[in-house]
Amino acid sequence: MLMTKGNLLNAKSSLKLAKMGYELMDRKHIILMRELSEMLEDASVLRQKIDSSYERAYLALQKANITMGKVAQLADRMPLDNEIDIKFRSVMGVEIPKVSMVSSKRHFPYSLSQSNSRLDEAYLEMQKVKENTVKLAQIDVGMFRLAKAIQTSRKRANALKGIVIPDLENTIKLISDDLEEKERESFIRMKLVKKQKTKSAQF
């Protein structure tokens, strides 16, 4: 590299950008970690809700089988529900899915005369399972994307802090030292020339 003022200015500009980049990466890492932490808490709560709903649903279904006989025929009539809407929101450039069920109204897909309160209870609990499972899937995908982005931002921040910034600082020091040395040499030469001229004028 040429030890010139132009290269010194370029190195200082690059160092400033690298430090700004590191600050941005560090801020991004903090925000993504906060988001991931909140999602982890939400996922834990949802898993507990799903487990509780499953327990209540199976208990109610057992009681419905006892009071009504086999409910398999009614189960076969259950409609498939695949109406799911997916949108995205951005968190520091990371696309996080927002999943929702298009049909959120809970209505019984069978005649009330064919059922009892236990079967209704089992159906409603399984609806809760379905809704919470959709939410959990959304969070799981979001956590995966966040974890990947956190890993990438950490690598970039570490590279800036541990390699790029020190290299630029070293380059700036080398160029600055070289330019200072050249200025000293130039100053000494000028003094010698001036002294020589003074001597010549005396003769």
Side-chain angles (χ1 to χ4, degrees), residues 43-87:
S44 177
V45 171
L46 279 172
R47 286 190 175 92
Q48 290 175 5
K49 285 183 178 180
I50 290 170
D51 289 343
S52 297
S53 291
Y54 266 128
E55 288 178 12
R56 289 193 294 270
Y58 283 125
L59 182 61
L61 191 59
Q62 286 177 351
K63 291 180 179 178
N65 270 321
I66 292 170
T67 55
M68 294 176 56
K70 294 289 183 181
V71 295
Q73 289 183 344
L74 284 176
D76 290 338
R77 294 182 208 165
M78 293 297 107
L80 292 175
D81 189 354
N82 57 3
E83 294 183 359
I84 293 176
D85 182 55
I86 302 176
K87 294 179 181 177

Side-chain angles (χ1 to χ4, degrees), residues 126-143:
M126 289 307 294
Q127 283 293 103
K128 290 179 186 176
V129 168
K130 182 168 63 176
E131 290 165 9
N132 286 328
T133 300
V134 167
K135 292 177 184 176
L136 185 59
Q138 164 191 303
I139 290 174
D140 281 343
V141 173
M143 287 193 298

Side-chain angles (χ1 to χ4, degrees), residues 28-36 91 94 146 149-150:
K28 179 177 181 177
H29 183 262
I30 291 169
I31 292 171
L32 293 180
M33 284 297 294
R34 189 185 302 133
E35 187 79 17
L36 180 60
V91 179
V94 181
L146 283 172
I150 287 168

